[in-house]
Amino acid sequence: MSRQFPTSSSVIPRVAGSFWCWQLAGWAALLVGTFPFKLYFAQYEWRLVVILTLLRDLPAFFYMLWMRRIYRPRAAWMEERLRDLILLIIALTLLGAGADFFAIRLVGAVTNIPQMENGHYLLMTLAYRILLFGIWSLLYFGLKAIISRQRQAEALREAEMQMLRAQINPHFF
């Protein structure tokens, strides 16, 4: 019984189509993982945690989708204009982290939670969002690079197969 391995053309759609699965799974893990910290900083007021999530994490989710719209047409920059791509990633990461910083300040002002006015907490959350947006960007472009290499390898294999077929059956030319 011969064993058939999937060709990279059958793997590519699964990897590319899994963006949404990975995106939603990552956000679900993030929300579950940060829930205890939010609960602590909200002084165990679960309603406030819901408000924090709606005011911070939901906009961050949509911000990442917007980043994807910005990144998608610039994916070719990985080989041509890498420096410009890195500057774009840094700019969008800092913009998103800065917007989240102001959201934290707004929530802190509205709710009067002393921990949210703490400078260490603010700096920690700013660094957290910079890491979150930066790592997401690197993962996005890493996945794009993997898919691109798979497609190039598949195209090369297909060209080699066409050449071999032409050598075996030269009368079709």
Side-chain angles (χ1 to χ4, degrees):
M1 178 175 208
S2 69
R3 187 170 170 175
Q4 295 217 349
F5 293 99
T7 63
S8 54
S9 62
S10 64
V11 173
I12 290 171
R14 282 187 285 171
V15 172
S18 67
F19 170 81
W20 288 105
C21 293
W22 285 107
Q23 177 84 348
L24 294 175
W27 275 98
L30 183 74
L31 293 176
V32 169
T34 59
F35 183 79
F37 298 106
K38 291 177 188 170
L39 201 55
Y40 169 75
F41 282 109
Q43 298 175 343
Y44 301 98
E45 189 64 43
W46 68 270
R47 289 183 189 118
L48 193 54
V49 172
V50 171
I51 292 170
L52 282 171
T53 300
L54 290 174
L55 289 177
R56 293 188 62 220
D57 294 325
L58 192 62
F61 173 78
F62 287 111
Y63 182 74
M64 285 186 176
L65 294 181
W66 179 76
M67 287 171 66
R68 182 175 183 240
R69 285 188 69 145
I70 300 295
Y71 288 162
R72 181 180 273 172
R74 291 161 182 85
W77 288 9
M78 286 187 283
E79 295 176 14
E80 299 168 6
R81 299 167 49 190
L82 185 60
R83 189 191 70 163
D84 293 340
L85 182 64
I86 291 170
L87 291 175
L88 178 66
I89 290 170
I90 290 170
L92 291 180
T93 297
L94 292 176
L95 178 68
D100 185 66
F101 178 81
F102 288 114
I104 292 169
R105 298 290 300 200
L106 177 66
V107 171
V110 170
T111 59
N112 294 324
I113 298 174
Q115 287 95 331
M116 296 192 81
E117 295 296 323
N118 184 334
H120 294 301
Y121 172 75
L122 292 172
L123 187 60
M124 183 176 65
T125 57
L126 183 65
Y128 165 72
R129 290 298 180 172
I130 288 171
L131 282 173
L132 179 70
F133 293 135
I135 290 172
W136 183 90
S137 297
L138 294 176
L139 288 173
Y140 177 81
F141 284 108
L143 182 61
K144 284 285 189 186
I146 289 169
I147 291 170
S148 175
R149 285 191 186 109
Q150 285 178 340
R151 286 185 177 150
Q152 288 172 352
E154 180 63 28
L156 180 63
R157 276 193 292 279
E158 187 61 34
E160 289 173 352
M161 289 300 292
Q162 290 292 337
M163 191 171 64
L164 288 173
R165 285 186 194 118
Q167 288 175 354
I168 292 173
N169 296 321
H171 61 278
F172 284 120
F173 279 116

